[in-house]
Amino acid sequence: MPHDHLSPSGHPYRKDNDHPLTYWQTMEIAVRELLIEKGVLTPAEVTAQIEAMDARSPANGAAVVARAWVDPDFKARLLEDASAASREMGFDIGPLHLIAVENTKEIHNLIVCTLCSCYPRNLLGLPPDWYKTRAYRSRAVREPRKILEEFGVTLSDKTKIRVHDSTADMRYIVLPARPEGTDNMDEAELAALVTRDSMIGTGLPKQP
Amino acid sequence: MSERVRVKAMMPPGHVRTPAYLRGKEGVIERALGHFRNPEQLAYGLPAEEKPLYRVRFTMAEVWGEQAECPTDTLDAEIYAHWLERL
């Protein structure tokens, strides 16, 4: 019987994920086991990689942004080479090629990958589900202003929008503008204002 | 370096990193990104030569014509040199 009614808690029923493996899940397991059997990788290395990826979160990017807000020299290095600047802060971002794009009064940047869902995972962790949807990917390049409105971001008519379609080897992070009224805040307090969405360009930093 | 380029309008099958909506469109090179192994060959495990990669900036007017939401907004995308012709 389909569970299309509400549960006693008032939430819709959600299907258990105990369906048989898909083709690609089976393929992933087969390749992983082969790599282990052939001695290319150990199970401990696989687990360590999964843990390293899970440990990455938008907090790493937020720390980079906050440093750029308080340190003009660091900001210059970030805009010149965002991979090197992130490593300089101690983040192991692997072979990631990162470009930072700066929001100003005149320019607002928005990141999308229309071909798939390229995202700076090695710095920001896993992307939000909506980032991978066809709706976001197709609309972000065609009607970015409407998308921003739906995300609750209102910009001045004078602000130009610059969309970045991450199509090949580079990944992008938006350096949002530092909110006003934050002059007395230290780096850690500033980092707490930097949201994941503000580093994609679909949001703005929190106000103090 | 505001060199004008046009994205080739070719439609080859396979793992292509140039979005269809940009093919045939004209823009300017925003910056050169260096050389990367060609993903169109890497995807199939073929020997992949290094190709120059550029960021090309397009106006929304160029990409969407009359349908543009705001003609002066811009869009940047990374395009490999073998997809570009200089104007």
Side-chain angles (χ1 to χ4, degrees):
Chain A
M1 192 183 99
H3 289 296
D4 53 358
H5 51 288
L6 296 180
S7 77
S9 67
H11 293 287
Y13 276 106
R14 204 171 154 163
K15 255 178 108 170
D16 285 333
N17 59 352
D18 53 3
H19 51 76
L21 293 176
T22 64
Y23 173 83
W24 296 109
Q25 286 169 324
T26 307
M27 187 73 96
E28 182 272 326
I29 293 168
V31 171
R32 173 157 43 88
E33 290 183 346
L34 271 171
L35 288 168
I36 290 167
E37 271 171 38
K38 288 180 178 292
V40 179
L41 291 173
T42 65
E45 284 173 321
V46 174
T47 306
Q49 261 317 306
I50 293 170
E51 282 172 359
M53 185 50 87
D54 283 350
R56 292 178 175 120
S57 83
N60 295 2
V64 172
V65 168
R67 175 72 54 88
W69 283 347
V70 299
D71 180 346
D73 292 336
F74 179 79
K75 177 177 154 182
R77 294 199 292 280
L78 179 72
L79 293 173
E80 172 72 30
D81 182 343
S83 306
S86 303
R87 290 190 189 106
E88 183 190 315
M89 285 193 65
F91 296 121
D92 170 17
I93 59 167
L96 182 69
H97 294 284
L98 189 65
I99 291 180
V101 288
E102 185 185 13
N103 283 353
T104 62
K105 281 195 174 64
E106 293 80 33
I107 302 282
H108 181 90
N109 295 282
L110 180 72
I111 314 299
V112 63
C113 170
T114 58
L115 294 176
C116 45
S117 54
C118 296
Y119 188 80
R121 292 169 187 239
N122 290 8
L123 183 65
L124 300 186
L126 298 179
D129 281 348
W130 53 258
Y131 185 83
K132 299 181 274 184
T133 59
R134 283 177 199 276
Y136 177 74
R137 287 154 50 208
S138 54
R139 293 184 58 213
V141 291
R142 194 169 183 114
E143 42 185 30
R145 286 174 182 268
K146 211 179 253 181
I147 290 243
L148 286 171
E149 258 173 50
E150 290 173 22
F151 272 97
V153 176
T154 316
L155 301 172
S156 141
D157 291 346
K158 292 192 192 100
T159 305
K160 273 183 114 182
I161 294 185
R162 190 172 283 166
V163 179
H164 303 266
D165 191 353
S166 181
T167 53
D169 284 85
M170 315 306 289
R171 301 293 176 262
Y172 296 86
I173 180 174
V174 174
L175 172 58
R178 179 170 175 166
E180 293 189 10
T182 57
D183 291 355
N184 299 323
M185 295 177 76
D186 68 23
E187 207 174 313
E189 291 170 325
L190 287 169
L193 301 178
V194 183
T195 63
R196 177 197 62 199
D197 288 10
S198 71
M199 293 181 281
I200 301 173
T202 52
L204 298 175
K206 290 184 229 169
Q207 291 298 313
Chain B
M1 184 165 74
S2 60
E3 202 173 349
R4 282 197 72 77
V5 289
R6 183 189 296 122
V7 182
K8 291 181 187 172
M10 54 192 185
M11 286 285 172
H15 181 86
V16 165
R17 299 311 299 171
T18 300
Y21 73 93
L22 292 176
R23 298 185 201 172
K25 306 298 181 187
E26 294 178 16
V28 297
I29 291 185
E30 189 264 347
R31 71 177 90 164
L33 296 165
H35 288 67
F36 293 86
R37 289 171 71 200
N38 185 357
E40 296 170 2
Q41 294 163 321
L42 275 184
Y44 298 102
L46 299 170
E49 53 207 300
E50 294 205 330
K51 302 260 190 189
L53 183 62
Y54 296 98
R55 255 153 70 76
V56 182
R57 179 163 295 166
F58 306 87
T59 64
M60 290 295 187
E62 169 67 15
V63 178
W64 305 116
E66 304 255 302
Q67 308 291 313
E69 184 188 47
C70 175
T72 53
D73 285 344
T74 59
L75 183 136
D76 292 1
E78 298 146 56
I79 312 281
Y80 275 92
H82 61 284
W83 274 89
L84 295 174
E85 49 196 7
R86 296 180 193 282
L87 295 175

